[in-house]
Amino acid sequence: MEALMLYGSPRRNGVSSQILDYLGRLLQEQDVAVRTAFLYKEEIKPCVGCLCCRPDKSCVLPRDGGHTIAEWIEVADILIVGTPTYWGNMSGPMKTLFDRCVPVFEYIDGVTIKRRQKGKKAVIVTASAAPFPVNLLRSQGRGTISSLRTILSAGGYRIIGTIHVAASASFDKRKKRIFKRLHRLFPL
């Protein structure tokens, strides 16, 4: 079994990154191969909306990190995405990647819609500075979770867990409790 972890934070030790690191260790303890992609370090050009990738081709832009990560998504059994919340949505590099990977997630030829990752598992990890209950607004963490659910559901993923950390500045005080919750997601 193989897991792919998409780090959407610019901070290597940010809240979502720390949670992904912990999940990675949990998976490795269960003999799951874990691959990581730090999206802020990748060269991923934005989608130009040419539709040449439709319905089932790869992106026609010059090869970059978007192509490589798309290939990793196709072979991973579990996709774990982690991102801070910016303006009620995921980070820019994560959105850019998902825009480039549309045909990896779904096949649409004008009539047929096929979920290309059907049956695979996914976990969503988000963090926002907004305290509870403000984090529940669509302009905050709820918007990020909704956007990621839309993308993953379009691909056919079964979302087995959503971890959202509100008031991320106080994460260290709650870290042990949050990490304990992660043990309920895994074993697989």
Side-chain angles (χ1 to χ4, degrees):
M1 187 172 290
E2 184 175 320
L4 174 60
M5 305 183 86
L6 300 178
Y7 286 74
S9 177
R11 294 179 190 85
R12 187 58 193 92
N13 289 316
V15 172
S16 61
S17 295
Q18 288 182 57
I19 294 171
L20 263 60
D21 289 345
Y22 190 84
L23 279 173
R25 289 191 298 274
L26 281 178
L27 290 168
Q28 288 172 334
E29 288 172 6
Q30 297 174 52
D31 294 323
V32 174
V34 177
R35 182 177 281 171
T36 58
F38 299 96
L39 302 183
Y40 272 86
K41 292 184 177 183
E42 294 289 334
E43 280 288 326
I44 304 172
K45 302 232 181 328
C47 176
V48 295
C50 68
L51 299 177
C52 291
C53 63
R54 294 299 192 141
D56 63 351
K57 298 173 186 69
S58 63
C59 178
V60 297
L61 291 176
R63 186 157 177 90
D64 65 7
H67 293 90
T68 302
I69 297 170
E71 293 163 1
W72 293 351
I73 290 170
E74 287 180 339
V75 298
D77 303 295
I78 304 167
L79 183 63
I80 302 171
V81 297
T83 183
T85 295
Y86 297 138
W87 291 104
N89 213 323
M90 66 195 86
S91 67
M94 183 165 281
K95 177 70 167 76
T96 298
L97 173 71
F98 286 142
D99 287 347
R100 286 278 303 280
C101 290
V102 170
V104 172
F105 288 93
E106 61 185 11
Y107 172 101
I108 299 177
D109 65 4
V111 178
T112 307
I113 298 175
K114 179 181 173 188
R115 298 167 193 253
R116 298 202 57 223
Q117 304 302 318
K118 191 168 178 83
K120 294 183 179 183
K121 298 175 184 176
V123 175
I124 296 170
V125 176
T126 65
S128 68
F132 178 84
V134 176
N135 70 300
L136 299 177
L137 297 172
R138 287 217 27 98
S139 63
Q140 298 298 322
R142 181 170 283 165
T144 307
I145 293 166
S146 176
S147 294
L148 290 168
R149 279 187 179 280
T150 297
I151 293 164
L152 297 172
S153 295
Y157 284 95
R158 185 167 61 90
I159 300 168
I160 62 171
T162 300
I163 309 296
H164 175 69
V165 177
S168 57
S170 65
F171 174 67
D172 286 340
K173 295 175 187 172
R174 299 173 290 142
K175 187 186 299 191
K176 285 183 184 176
R177 188 173 75 235
I178 291 167
F179 285 175
K180 189 174 183 176
R181 252 184 81 200
L182 298 177
H183 285 272
R184 288 192 290 257
L185 291 176
F186 301 101
L188 299 169

